Amino acid sequence: MTEHAGRIQRSQAPKTWSRYRFPESLWRFGAVLAIIVFLGYSMAFMNVDIGLLFGALGGLLGVIGTRFYPPDIAYVLDAGYLASILDTLQMSFLGGMAGVALAIPLAWFSAWNVSPHRRVLFPLGRLGVISARAIHETIWTILFVSVLGFGMLAGVSALTMFCIGFAGKLFSDEIEAVDMGPVEAMRATGANSLQVFLFAVVPQVRVAFTGIAIYTWDVAFRAATVVGFFGGGGMGWYLKRNVQQLENLRVGAIILSIIAMVLVAEFISGWLRAAVNRAK
């Protein structure tokens, strides 16, 4: 009875009307309108045919069915190809861990709130992270292959640079979001910058850093196949060779193996991240 009376009372309450705040509402709707107009102009300028795009999906399925089916599963079960899978795993692990190890000091330098020297180390740290992020892993691979030659050393080096940019940005964001109370307390006691970072910052971000490191390895494994295609070795090298030789059935089998390995890596990284979250 009381609940029914409450519903009646709420229905009889006078309704209020509020105006959008000006000029914030004008800027907001203006920005949305500008984005819509720009997208429409871009589609018209590039002559994008939506119907053709949806029709191309059916054509893609037809190409896959005629050229890549049935996949040559026996090829991916060969000992040489299985060894290339292990090479890709090793390359992603080494590149990911080296990138994470190098990204931590760069993130410390590029975090404004705890940077040891804001005039020198802060811009250097920012420059390092931004430079590593600005160049795609394929370009890093081409650069290192031209210097070091084909092989896993060039692939690991390219993945290291890629992971520095990827993890460095996430690390610096986590550091800049820490509670400054412990930091200011240690500074007041005369602790130096390294002591502040180790005993006031690291305890607050160690769980987040662990999760980011796991996610970085997951992304590095996905990138390792692309790195291998451009000369870094591993599964990507087998994919490139068979694409160039028009061995479509083998290419289909290699693509299936890459998808399977990515799914396994996704499961492992997800399980590890869940374990880290439970440890918070």
Side-chain angles (χ1 to χ4, degrees):
M1 188 68 180
T2 305
E3 183 180 356
H4 179 68
R7 287 199 300 267
I8 295 177
Q9 185 177 4
R10 286 193 297 271
S11 64
Q12 294 177 351
K15 297 180 179 180
T16 60
W17 177 82
S18 61
R19 181 186 300 272
Y20 284 114
R21 290 184 299 175
F22 185 83
E24 289 84 355
S25 59
L26 179 62
W27 289 109
R28 185 182 304 115
F29 289 116
V32 173
L33 180 62
I35 292 173
I36 294 175
V37 171
F38 177 76
L39 290 177
Y41 171 77
S42 300
M43 294 181 66
F45 180 79
M46 294 185 295
N47 195 22
V48 176
D49 189 348
I50 302 298
L52 181 62
L53 287 178
F54 285 105
L57 295 177
L60 177 63
L61 295 177
V63 170
I64 293 175
T66 56
R67 295 185 182 181
F68 299 97
Y69 184 83
D72 188 0
I73 302 298
Y75 181 77
V76 298
L77 298 178
D78 182 72
Y81 184 78
L82 294 177
S84 73
I85 296 178
L86 180 60
D87 291 341
T88 301
L89 288 171
Q90 292 174 336
M91 186 165 57
S92 63
F93 182 79
L94 291 175
M97 293 301 102
V100 167
L102 293 174
I104 290 176
L106 286 177
W108 174 32
F109 296 161
S110 61
W112 179 259
N113 54 342
V114 295
S115 181
H117 200 291
R118 292 182 177 179
R119 292 187 177 180
V120 178
L121 294 180
F122 175 77
L124 289 178
R126 284 286 183 182
L127 180 62
V129 174
I130 292 174
S131 300
R133 291 180 64 231
I135 302 177
H136 197 266
E137 64 266 21
T138 57
I139 307 301
W140 281 122
T141 306
I142 294 172
L143 292 175
F144 281 110
V145 165
S146 63
V147 175
L148 302 174
F150 293 95
M152 290 185 61
L153 180 58
V156 171
S157 302
L159 287 176
T160 299
M161 298 303 299
F162 166 72
C163 293
I164 288 175
F166 181 84
K169 174 61 176 176
L170 298 178
F171 285 162
S172 63
D173 290 344
E174 288 291 335
I175 294 174
E176 290 183 341
V178 299
D179 182 11
M180 291 300 293
V183 174
E184 297 297 339
M186 289 204 64
R187 286 174 176 173
T189 61
N192 58 40
S193 298
L194 180 60
Q195 292 171 331
V196 170
F197 179 73
L198 291 178
F199 300 107
V201 176
V202 171
Q204 298 187 60
V205 299
R206 67 178 185 274
V207 176
F209 273 25
T210 305
I212 292 172
I214 296 170
Y215 185 54
T216 301
W217 169 77
D218 185 16
V219 175
F221 177 76
R222 300 164 192 252
T225 56
V226 180
V227 168
F229 190 92
F230 287 90
M235 293 188 295
W237 181 82
Y238 277 84
L239 179 62
K240 179 180 180 180
R241 186 180 71 176
N242 286 279
V243 166
Q244 292 177 339
Q245 295 175 354
L246 300 179
E247 295 285 353
N248 294 327
L249 299 183
R250 292 181 177 181
V251 171
I254 293 173
I255 292 175
L256 288 178
S257 68
I258 292 174
I259 293 174
M261 293 301 300
V262 168
L263 290 176
V264 172
E266 178 69 22
F267 174 78
I268 295 174
S269 64
W271 178 78
L272 291 174
R273 289 198 299 270
V276 170
N277 291 329
R278 287 194 299 268
K280 289 184 178 179

mmCIF file with all atom_site columns, all heavy atoms in Angstrom, residues 242-259:
data_model
loop_
_atom_site.group_PDB
_atom_site.id
_atom_site.type_symbol
_atom_site.label_atom_id
_atom_site.label_alt_id
_atom_site.label_comp_id
_atom_site.label_asym_id
_atom_site.label_entity_id
_atom_site.label_seq_id
_atom_site.pdbx_PDB_ins_code
_atom_site.Cartn_x
_atom_site.Cartn_y
_atom_site.Cartn_z
_atom_site.occupancy
_atom_site.B_iso_or_equiv
_atom_site.pdbx_formal_charge
_atom_site.auth_seq_id
_atom_site.auth_comp_id
_atom_site.auth_asym_id
_atom_site.auth_atom_id
_atom_site.pdbx_PDB_model_num
ATOM 1   N N   . ASN A 1 242 ? 54.948 -18.372 -48.824 1.00 0.00 ? 242 ASN A N   1
ATOM 2   C CA  . ASN A 1 242 ? 53.861 -19.056 -49.510 1.00 0.00 ? 242 ASN A CA  1
ATOM 3   C C   . ASN A 1 242 ? 52.934 -18.091 -50.233 1.00 0.00 ? 242 ASN A C   1
ATOM 4   O O   . ASN A 1 242 ? 52.341 -18.456 -51.257 1.00 0.00 ? 242 ASN A O   1
ATOM 5   C CB  . ASN A 1 242 ? 53.066 -19.896 -48.503 1.00 0.00 ? 242 ASN A CB  1
ATOM 6   C CG  . ASN A 1 242 ? 53.808 -21.143 -48.068 1.00 0.00 ? 242 ASN A CG  1
ATOM 7   O OD1 . ASN A 1 242 ? 53.817 -22.158 -48.756 1.00 0.00 ? 242 ASN A OD1 1
ATOM 8   N ND2 . ASN A 1 242 ? 54.460 -21.077 -46.915 1.00 0.00 ? 242 ASN A ND2 1
ATOM 9   N N   . VAL A 1 243 ? 52.795 -16.872 -49.743 1.00 0.00 ? 243 VAL A N   1
ATOM 10  C CA  . VAL A 1 243 ? 52.022 -15.867 -50.472 1.00 0.00 ? 243 VAL A CA  1
ATOM 11  C C   . VAL A 1 243 ? 52.711 -15.534 -51.785 1.00 0.00 ? 243 VAL A C   1
ATOM 12  O O   . VAL A 1 243 ? 52.064 -15.429 -52.846 1.00 0.00 ? 243 VAL A O   1
ATOM 13  C CB  . VAL A 1 243 ? 51.840 -14.598 -49.608 1.00 0.00 ? 243 VAL A CB  1
ATOM 14  C CG1 . VAL A 1 243 ? 51.340 -13.440 -50.458 1.00 0.00 ? 243 VAL A CG1 1
ATOM 15  C CG2 . VAL A 1 243 ? 50.870 -14.874 -48.475 1.00 0.00 ? 243 VAL A CG2 1
ATOM 16  N N   . GLN A 1 244 ? 54.025 -15.371 -51.753 1.00 0.00 ? 244 GLN A N   1
ATOM 17  C CA  . GLN A 1 244 ? 54.764 -15.054 -52.972 1.00 0.00 ? 244 GLN A CA  1
ATOM 18  C C   . GLN A 1 244 ? 54.753 -16.211 -53.965 1.00 0.00 ? 244 GLN A C   1
ATOM 19  O O   . GLN A 1 244 ? 54.792 -15.991 -55.178 1.00 0.00 ? 244 GLN A O   1
ATOM 20  C CB  . GLN A 1 244 ? 56.200 -14.674 -52.620 1.00 0.00 ? 244 GLN A CB  1
ATOM 21  C CG  . GLN A 1 244 ? 56.321 -13.356 -51.867 1.00 0.00 ? 244 GLN A CG  1
ATOM 22  C CD  . GLN A 1 244 ? 57.745 -13.049 -51.463 1.00 0.00 ? 244 GLN A CD  1
ATOM 23  O OE1 . GLN A 1 244 ? 58.593 -13.939 -51.381 1.00 0.00 ? 244 GLN A OE1 1
ATOM 24  N NE2 . GLN A 1 244 ? 58.022 -11.777 -51.183 1.00 0.00 ? 244 GLN A NE2 1
ATOM 25  N N   . GLN A 1 245 ? 54.693 -17.443 -53.480 1.00 0.00 ? 245 GLN A N   1
ATOM 26  C CA  . GLN A 1 245 ? 54.659 -18.613 -54.356 1.00 0.00 ? 245 GLN A CA  1
ATOM 27  C C   . GLN A 1 245 ? 53.238 -19.015 -54.752 1.00 0.00 ? 245 GLN A C   1
ATOM 28  O O   . GLN A 1 245 ? 53.054 -20.032 -55.419 1.00 0.00 ? 245 GLN A O   1
ATOM 29  C CB  . GLN A 1 245 ? 55.351 -19.791 -53.660 1.00 0.00 ? 245 GLN A CB  1
ATOM 30  C CG  . GLN A 1 245 ? 56.834 -19.573 -53.428 1.00 0.00 ? 245 GLN A CG  1
ATOM 31  C CD  . GLN A 1 245 ? 57.479 -20.707 -52.637 1.00 0.00 ? 245 GLN A CD  1
ATOM 32  O OE1 . GLN A 1 245 ? 56.788 -21.611 -52.156 1.00 0.00 ? 245 GLN A OE1 1
ATOM 33  N NE2 . GLN A 1 245 ? 58.788 -20.675 -52.512 1.00 0.00 ? 245 GLN A NE2 1
ATOM 34  N N   . LEU A 1 246 ? 52.238 -18.228 -54.326 1.00 0.00 ? 246 LEU A N   1
ATOM 35  C CA  . LEU A 1 246 ? 50.828 -18.489 -54.639 1.00 0.00 ? 246 LEU A CA  1
ATOM 36  C C   . LEU A 1 246 ? 50.378 -19.864 -54.163 1.00 0.00 ? 246 LEU A C   1
ATOM 37  O O   . LEU A 1 246 ? 49.530 -20.524 -54.788 1.00 0.00 ? 246 LEU A O   1
ATOM 38  C CB  . LEU A 1 246 ? 50.570 -18.338 -56.146 1.00 0.00 ? 246 LEU A CB  1
ATOM 39  C CG  . LEU A 1 246 ? 50.881 -16.962 -56.739 1.00 0.00 ? 246 LEU A CG  1
ATOM 40  C CD1 . LEU A 1 246 ? 50.607 -16.963 -58.234 1.00 0.00 ? 246 LEU A CD1 1
ATOM 41  C CD2 . LEU A 1 246 ? 50.079 -15.880 -56.047 1.00 0.00 ? 246 LEU A CD2 1
ATOM 42  N N   . GLU A 1 247 ? 50.929 -20.308 -53.036 1.00 0.00 ? 247 GLU A N   1
ATOM 43  C CA  . GLU A 1 247 ? 50.493 -21.562 -52.411 1.00 0.00 ? 247 GLU A CA  1
ATOM 44  C C   . GLU A 1 247 ? 49.298 -21.250 -51.499 1.00 0.00 ? 247 GLU A C   1
ATOM 45  O O   . GLU A 1 247 ? 49.416 -21.169 -50.274 1.00 0.00 ? 247 GLU A O   1
ATOM 46  C CB  . GLU A 1 247 ? 51.643 -22.188 -51.622 1.00 0.00 ? 247 GLU A CB  1
ATOM 47  C CG  . GLU A 1 247 ? 52.819 -22.622 -52.465 1.00 0.00 ? 247 GLU A CG  1
ATOM 48  C CD  . GLU A 1 247 ? 52.521 -23.909 -53.236 1.00 0.00 ? 247 GLU A CD  1
ATOM 49  O OE1 . GLU A 1 247 ? 51.459 -24.518 -52.994 1.00 0.00 ? 247 GLU A OE1 1
ATOM 50  O OE2 . GLU A 1 247 ? 53.346 -24.289 -54.079 1.00 0.00 ? 247 GLU A OE2 1
ATOM 51  N N   . ASN A 1 248 ? 48.117 -21.081 -52.120 1.00 0.00 ? 248 ASN A N   1
ATOM 52  C CA  . ASN A 1 248 ? 46.968 -20.573 -51.387 1.00 0.00 ? 248 ASN A CA  1
ATOM 53  C C   . ASN A 1 248 ? 46.478 -21.538 -50.306 1.00 0.00 ? 248 ASN A C   1
ATOM 54  O O   . ASN A 1 248 ? 46.027 -21.109 -49.241 1.00 0.00 ? 248 ASN A O   1
ATOM 55  C CB  . ASN A 1 248 ? 45.825 -20.257 -52.355 1.00 0.00 ? 248 ASN A CB  1
ATOM 56  C CG  . ASN A 1 248 ? 46.178 -19.103 -53.280 1.00 0.00 ? 248 ASN A CG  1
ATOM 57  O OD1 . ASN A 1 248 ? 46.900 -18.189 -52.905 1.00 0.00 ? 248 ASN A OD1 1
ATOM 58  N ND2 . ASN A 1 248 ? 45.664 -19.154 -54.504 1.00 0.00 ? 248 ASN A ND2 1
ATOM 59  N N   . LEU A 1 249 ? 46.535 -22.824 -50.564 1.00 0.00 ? 249 LEU A N   1
ATOM 60  C CA  . LEU A 1 249 ? 46.067 -23.785 -49.573 1.00 0.00 ? 249 LEU A CA  1
ATOM 61  C C   . LEU A 1 249 ? 46.974 -23.773 -48.335 1.00 0.00 ? 249 LEU A C   1
ATOM 62  O O   . LEU A 1 249 ? 46.502 -23.883 -47.205 1.00 0.00 ? 249 LEU A O   1
ATOM 63  C CB  . LEU A 1 249 ? 46.007 -25.183 -50.179 1.00 0.00 ? 249 LEU A CB  1
ATOM 64  C CG  . LEU A 1 249 ? 45.054 -25.343 -51.375 1.00 0.00 ? 249 LEU A CG  1
ATOM 65  C CD1 . LEU A 1 249 ? 45.035 -26.787 -51.845 1.00 0.00 ? 249 LEU A CD1 1
ATOM 66  C CD2 . LEU A 1 249 ? 43.649 -24.877 -51.012 1.00 0.00 ? 249 LEU A CD2 1
ATOM 67  N N   . ARG A 1 250 ? 48.268 -23.601 -48.554 1.00 0.00 ? 250 ARG A N   1
ATOM 68  C CA  . ARG A 1 250 ? 49.185 -23.475 -47.422 1.00 0.00 ? 250 ARG A CA  1
ATOM 69  C C   . ARG A 1 250 ? 48.976 -22.147 -46.695 1.00 0.00 ? 250 ARG A C   1
ATOM 70  O O   . ARG A 1 250 ? 49.054 -22.084 -45.467 1.00 0.00 ? 250 ARG A O   1
ATOM 71  C CB  . ARG A 1 250 ? 50.629 -23.596 -47.898 1.00 0.00 ? 250 ARG A CB  1
ATOM 72  C CG  . ARG A 1 250 ? 51.003 -24.988 -48.390 1.00 0.00 ? 250 ARG A CG  1
ATOM 73  C CD  . ARG A 1 250 ? 52.458 -25.051 -48.819 1.00 0.00 ? 250 ARG A CD  1
ATOM 74  N NE  . ARG A 1 250 ? 52.849 -26.395 -49.222 1.00 0.00 ? 250 ARG A NE  1
ATOM 75  C CZ  . ARG A 1 250 ? 54.065 -26.726 -49.628 1.00 0.00 ? 250 ARG A CZ  1
ATOM 76  N NH1 . ARG A 1 250 ? 55.015 -25.784 -49.716 1.00 0.00 ? 250 ARG A NH1 1
ATOM 77  N NH2 . ARG A 1 250 ? 54.342 -27.962 -49.958 1.00 0.00 ? 250 ARG A NH2 1
ATOM 78  N N   . VAL A 1 251 ? 48.711 -21.090 -47.455 1.00 0.00 ? 251 VAL A N   1
ATOM 79  C CA  . VAL A 1 251 ? 48.440 -19.790 -46.834 1.00 0.00 ? 251 VAL A CA  1
ATOM 80  C C   . VAL A 1 251 ? 47.206 -19.884 -45.940 1.00 0.00 ? 251 VAL A C   1
ATOM 81  O O   . VAL A 1 251 ? 47.185 -19.352 -44.821 1.00 0.00 ? 251 VAL A O   1
ATOM 82  C CB  . VAL A 1 251 ? 48.253 -18.710 -47.916 1.00 0.00 ? 251 VAL A CB  1
ATOM 83  C CG1 . VAL A 1 251 ? 47.742 -17.414 -47.295 1.00 0.00 ? 251 VAL A CG1 1
ATOM 84  C CG2 . VAL A 1 251 ? 49.570 -18.459 -48.643 1.00 0.00 ? 251 VAL A CG2 1
ATOM 85  N N   . GLY A 1 252 ? 46.167 -20.567 -46.420 1.00 0.00 ? 252 GLY A N   1
ATOM 86  C CA  . GLY A 1 252 ? 44.978 -20.742 -45.598 1.00 0.00 ? 252 GLY A CA  1
ATOM 87  C C   . GLY A 1 252 ? 45.271 -21.479 -44.304 1.00 0.00 ? 252 GLY A C   1
ATOM 88  O O   . GLY A 1 252 ? 44.760 -21.121 -43.237 1.00 0.00 ? 252 GLY A O   1
ATOM 89  N N   . ALA A 1 253 ? 46.107 -22.532 -44.390 1.00 0.00 ? 253 ALA A N   1
ATOM 90  C CA  . ALA A 1 253 ? 46.460 -23.280 -43.187 1.00 0.00 ? 253 ALA A CA  1
ATOM 91  C C   . ALA A 1 253 ? 47.281 -22.414 -42.224 1.00 0.00 ? 253 ALA A C   1
ATOM 92  O O   . ALA A 1 253 ? 47.089 -22.475 -41.001 1.00 0.00 ? 253 ALA A O   1
ATOM 93  C CB  . ALA A 1 253 ? 47.237 -24.540 -43.569 1.00 0.00 ? 253 ALA A CB  1
ATOM 94  N N   . ILE A 1 254 ? 48.201 -21.614 -42.768 1.00 0.00 ? 254 ILE A N   1
ATOM 95  C CA  . ILE A 1 254 ? 49.011 -20.740 -41.915 1.00 0.00 ? 254 ILE A CA  1
ATOM 96  C C   . ILE A 1 254 ? 48.138 -19.697 -41.224 1.00 0.00 ? 254 ILE A C   1
ATOM 97  O O   . ILE A 1 254 ? 48.304 -19.415 -40.028 1.00 0.00 ? 254 ILE A O   1
ATOM 98  C CB  . ILE A 1 254 ? 50.115 -20.068 -42.750 1.00 0.00 ? 254 ILE A CB  1
ATOM 99  C CG1 . ILE A 1 254 ? 51.120 -21.107 -43.221 1.00 0.00 ? 254 ILE A CG1 1
ATOM 100 C CG2 . ILE A 1 254 ? 50.823 -18.983 -41.942 1.00 0.00 ? 254 ILE A CG2 1
ATOM 101 C CD1 . ILE A 1 254 ? 52.151 -20.576 -44.199 1.00 0.00 ? 254 ILE A CD1 1
ATOM 102 N N   . ILE A 1 255 ? 47.177 -19.135 -41.941 1.00 0.00 ? 255 ILE A N   1
ATOM 103 C CA  . ILE A 1 255 ? 46.281 -18.145 -41.346 1.00 0.00 ? 255 ILE A CA  1
ATOM 104 C C   . ILE A 1 255 ? 45.461 -18.784 -40.223 1.00 0.00 ? 255 ILE A C   1
ATOM 105 O O   . ILE A 1 255 ? 45.267 -18.191 -39.152 1.00 0.00 ? 255 ILE A O   1
ATOM 106 C CB  . ILE A 1 255 ? 45.372 -17.532 -42.424 1.00 0.00 ? 255 ILE A CB  1
ATOM 107 C CG1 . ILE A 1 255 ? 46.205 -16.673 -43.381 1.00 0.00 ? 255 ILE A CG1 1
ATOM 108 C CG2 . ILE A 1 255 ? 44.276 -16.684 -41.786 1.00 0.00 ? 255 ILE A CG2 1
ATOM 109 C CD1 . ILE A 1 255 ? 45.417 -16.124 -44.548 1.00 0.00 ? 255 ILE A CD1 1
ATOM 110 N N   . LEU A 1 256 ? 44.993 -20.000 -40.451 1.00 0.00 ? 256 LEU A N   1
ATOM 111 C CA  . LEU A 1 256 ? 44.250 -20.697 -39.390 1.00 0.00 ? 256 LEU A CA  1
ATOM 112 C C   . LEU A 1 256 ? 45.131 -20.942 -38.169 1.00 0.00 ? 256 LEU A C   1
ATOM 113 O O   . LEU A 1 256 ? 44.680 -20.806 -37.018 1.00 0.00 ? 256 LEU A O   1
ATOM 114 C CB  . LEU A 1 256 ? 43.701 -22.016 -39.921 1.00 0.00 ? 256 LEU A CB  1
ATOM 115 C CG  . LEU A 1 256 ? 42.536 -21.931 -40.902 1.00 0.00 ? 256 LEU A CG  1
ATOM 116 C CD1 . LEU A 1 256 ? 42.132 -23.324 -41.366 1.00 0.00 ? 256 LEU A CD1 1
ATOM 117 C CD2 . LEU A 1 256 ? 41.341 -21.226 -40.270 1.00 0.00 ? 256 LEU A CD2 1
ATOM 118 N N   . SER A 1 257 ? 46.394 -21.299 -38.397 1.00 0.00 ? 257 SER A N   1
ATOM 119 C CA  . SER A 1 257 ? 47.295 -21.533 -37.262 1.00 0.00 ? 257 SER A CA  1
ATOM 120 C C   . SER A 1 257 ? 47.568 -20.240 -36.507 1.00 0.00 ? 257 SER A C   1
ATOM 121 O O   . SER A 1 257 ? 47.654 -20.237 -35.269 1.00 0.00 ? 257 SER A O   1
ATOM 122 C CB  . SER A 1 257 ? 48.602 -22.149 -37.758 1.00 0.00 ? 257 SER A CB  1
ATOM 123 O OG  . SER A 1 257 ? 49.353 -21.222 -38.528 1.00 0.00 ? 257 SER A OG  1
ATOM 124 N N   . ILE A 1 258 ? 47.683 -19.126 -37.236 1.00 0.00 ? 258 ILE A N   1
ATOM 125 C CA  . ILE A 1 258 ? 47.904 -17.835 -36.569 1.00 0.00 ? 258 ILE A CA  1
ATOM 126 C C   . ILE A 1 258 ? 46.688 -17.467 -35.729 1.00 0.00 ? 258 ILE A C   1
ATOM 127 O O   . ILE A 1 258 ? 46.813 -17.011 -34.588 1.00 0.00 ? 258 ILE A O   1
ATOM 128 C CB  . ILE A 1 258 ? 48.206 -16.743 -37.613 1.00 0.00 ? 258 ILE A CB  1
ATOM 129 C CG1 . ILE A 1 258 ? 49.565 -17.002 -38.265 1.00 0.00 ? 258 ILE A CG1 1
ATOM 130 C CG2 . ILE A 1 258 ? 48.196 -15.363 -36.967 1.00 0.00 ? 258 ILE A CG2 1
ATOM 131 C CD1 . ILE A 1 258 ? 49.896 -16.058 -39.399 1.00 0.00 ? 258 ILE A CD1 1
ATOM 132 N N   . ILE A 1 259 ? 45.486 -17.686 -36.289 1.00 0.00 ? 259 ILE A N   1
ATOM 133 C CA  . ILE A 1 259 ? 44.270 -17.393 -35.528 1.00 0.00 ? 259 ILE A CA  1
ATOM 134 C C   . ILE A 1 259 ? 44.202 -18.264 -34.274 1.00 0.00 ? 259 ILE A C   1
ATOM 135 O O   . ILE A 1 259 ? 43.853 -17.781 -33.185 1.00 0.00 ? 259 ILE A O   1
ATOM 136 C CB  . ILE A 1 259 ? 43.026 -17.615 -36.417 1.00 0.00 ? 259 ILE A CB  1
ATOM 137 C CG1 . ILE A 1 259 ? 42.994 -16.582 -37.545 1.00 0.00 ? 259 ILE A CG1 1
ATOM 138 C CG2 . ILE A 1 259 ? 41.751 -17.538 -35.593 1.00 0.00 ? 259 ILE A CG2 1
ATOM 139 C CD1 . ILE A 1 259 ? 41.888 -16.814 -38.558 1.00 0.00 ? 259 ILE A CD1 1
#
